[in-house]
Amino acid sequence: MKTKIFFLTCIVCSLLGFVACSDDDKASLNLSGDCLVEKVGLDEYEGIIDHTAHTITVTVPEAYNTSAMKVTNLKLSNGATCNIHEGDILNMGAAIVLHIVNGDVFMDWTLIARNYKPAIKPAALFVGSAYSKEELDMEAQTACNWMLANVPDAFYASFEDIADGTADLSECKLIWWHWHDDGVVDGHDGFLAKGTDALNVKNQLKAFYENGGSMLLTRYATHLPTFIGVTGDDEWTVPNNCFGDPEMSSFKCDGPWAFDIYAEQAGHPIWNNLVNDGFAGKVPCTDSGYFVSNSVAQYHLGWDGWADFSAWKARTGGIILGVSKDGSSDTVVAWEYPATGDKGGIVCIGYGGYDWYSYKFAPGYSEHYHKNIEIITKNAIDYLTK
């Protein structure tokens, strides 16, 4: 009888849009509230429960040590059990999954401890959707850590921090958004669907740009200019050639990946001091044995009204900096919207080899050309903030 009840329960769950009950299933299951979290406290700090995202967030003071926090309160749905208990000591340096079981059903919740963030007034800012830089994906986190170590008075802030004023942009000269997404952000509709955190503060970002603030936009962040009016009223001036692989499915470079410096911009400051021995007129970005996700947000000319270089320039008002070939077709992989009047400048890089994080390296790997990622980034920041 129990088997039949379990089978019927799974059918009902499926019809209601839930995922069938299974020990292998990591999806959430909400059946009559049987697996809900009602209260969680750590060191007497109460958690904020998000029933939609199935997260519990405990916010503690800025310098609070989260490495050994005691579970001081835990209340679940009637009859439910969990893999943690009141009195347990948890290392909350990383998120912990609460696996809640009630009879034949279960639900996973994510418990997070976050330090309170003080207000900041940065000179330069790395932005993202994550609450803190530690919660960024490794691609963005690697880029962010480099910026914080190499750009004076640089900070990380989430888009929410901009929205609520935690990040005061009044003295900020540069915003860098390097956006990786394992599922790809594909053009206009893709950005509308996935770029919601940025779109929530598009008015603030537009004001920042129109009041002289500059931006470095890399990988899928290159979609942003369209949505803050940089290219006029045409909302379809986003990159039309976007793809990539999940970080952990990156594939090995058998040699350096390189794109061409656009001939008209060979002397642009962004190309200063490149490591390009054997690659005159090009920007080599990777070395043999580097694993790259090849995440691309570029313009394939000949498609969607982008007939050629002249058509691209006329439609966007931008300046082409870097190009590559896709078969016999040209692609624009790096470009600029120069500062004009009171408006700041914007540099965009959407080339697949512009990559900060290799999840592993092939035996014998040695970095040489990959140093150019740091070089062109520093050049771009210096250029935009001069």
Side-chain angles (χ1 to χ4, degrees):
M1 179 61 71
K2 184 176 181 180
T3 301
K4 290 181 180 179
I5 292 173
F6 175 74
F7 178 71
L8 289 172
T9 300
C10 291
I11 291 176
V12 172
C13 291
S14 179
L15 290 173
L16 290 174
F18 297 115
V19 181
C21 315
S22 166
D23 288 340
D24 296 327
D25 182 16
K26 299 301 182 184
S28 62
L29 178 63
N30 184 348
L31 185 62
S32 303
D34 283 347
C35 296
L36 296 181
V37 176
E38 298 182 5
K39 287 186 179 181
V40 174
L42 300 176
D43 287 358
E44 306 297 343
Y45 292 97
E46 292 300 311
I48 302 299
I49 300 170
D50 185 330
H51 290 281
T52 301
H54 299 141
T55 61
I56 310 101
T57 304
V58 178
T59 302
V60 298
E62 181 183 355
Y64 197 86
N65 184 357
T66 62
S67 64
M69 298 189 72
K70 184 177 181 179
V71 180
T72 50
N73 194 355
L74 180 64
K75 185 176 181 181
L76 310 175
S77 297
N78 186 39
T81 60
C82 182
N83 57 319
I84 69 168
H85 310 87
E86 286 192 15
D88 285 355
I89 304 298
L90 306 178
N91 181 353
M92 294 304 303
I96 289 179
V97 174
L98 273 58
H99 186 70
I100 301 173
V101 180
N102 201 342
D104 289 326
V105 296
F106 71 84
M107 183 184 293
D108 284 345
W109 294 72
T110 302
L111 177 61
I112 304 165
R114 288 172 167 169
N115 292 95
Y116 170 80
K117 293 193 293 187
I120 57 173
K121 188 178 285 188
L125 201 60
F126 190 103
V127 298
S129 293
Y131 179 84
S132 66
K133 71 181 181 69
E134 288 78 16
E135 295 176 34
L136 289 167
D137 61 90
M138 287 307 300
E139 171 67 27
Q141 188 178 134
T142 304
C144 179
N145 285 336
W146 176 88
M147 183 186 193
L148 301 190
N150 290 277
V151 178
D153 298 316
F155 289 82
Y156 172 77
S158 69
F159 291 113
E160 185 177 353
D161 293 332
I162 294 175
D164 65 19
T166 299
D168 180 343
L169 302 182
S170 62
E171 296 180 6
C172 187
K173 295 182 178 180
L174 175 90
I175 289 176
W176 179 17
W177 185 18
H178 181 62
W179 185 18
H180 172 79
D181 187 291
D182 273 352
V184 181
V185 181
D186 192 4
H188 179 274
D189 292 348
F191 189 86
L192 286 179
K194 293 189 173 184
T196 52
D197 293 330
L199 290 171
N200 286 340
V201 293
K202 72 175 184 178
N203 291 337
Q204 292 95 319
L205 296 175
K206 182 176 182 178
F208 172 79
Y209 160 70
E210 291 182 343
N211 289 319
S214 294
M215 297 184 185
L216 175 60
L217 303 172
T218 50
R219 198 161 283 193
Y220 299 126
T222 58
H223 290 73
L224 181 63
T226 285
F227 296 92
I228 59 173
V230 177
T231 57
D233 296 329
D234 184 354
E235 255 208 12
W236 295 86
T237 53
V238 294
N240 68 342
N241 188 208
C242 307
F243 53 87
D245 293 303
E247 194 68 68
M248 301 307 290
S249 298
S250 297
F251 50 92
K252 180 171 67 71
C253 297
D254 291 327
W257 286 21
F259 63 88
D260 296 316
I261 296 172
Y262 190 56
E264 296 177 12
Q265 296 298 323
H268 196 286
I270 197 175
W271 309 132
N272 289 345
N273 305 313
L274 291 175
V275 179
N276 64 346
D277 45 295
F279 286 88
K282 295 180 179 291
V283 183
C285 295
T286 67
D287 295 288
S288 180
Y290 185 95
F291 283 76
V292 63
S293 68
N294 193 26
S295 296
V296 166
Q298 61 192 14
Y299 294 87
H300 186 288
L301 302 183
W303 294 353
D304 309 316
W306 305 99
D308 51 28
F309 291 135
S310 295
W312 185 92
K313 294 174 187 177
R315 188 172 171 188
T316 66
I319 293 174
I320 299 170
L321 301 178
V323 298
S324 65
K325 284 283 188 182
D326 180 9
S328 60
S329 300
D330 291 308
T331 57
V332 178
V333 302
W335 59 99
E336 172 190 8
Y337 303 107
T340 57
D342 293 330
K343 296 178 180 178
I346 298 177
V347 169
C348 298
I349 304 173
Y351 179 64
Y354 181 86
D355 194 286
W356 283 86
Y357 173 74
S358 180
Y359 81 98
K360 66 178 180 179
F361 299 95
Y365 173 81
S366 177
E367 183 177 76
H368 182 63
Y369 295 115
H370 187 250
K371 295 174 184 176
N372 284 328
I373 302 303
E374 294 185 10
I375 292 170
I376 61 178
T377 302
K378 185 63 163 62
N379 286 344
I381 291 172
D382 289 346
Y383 169 70
L384 291 167
T385 56
K386 65 183 177 181

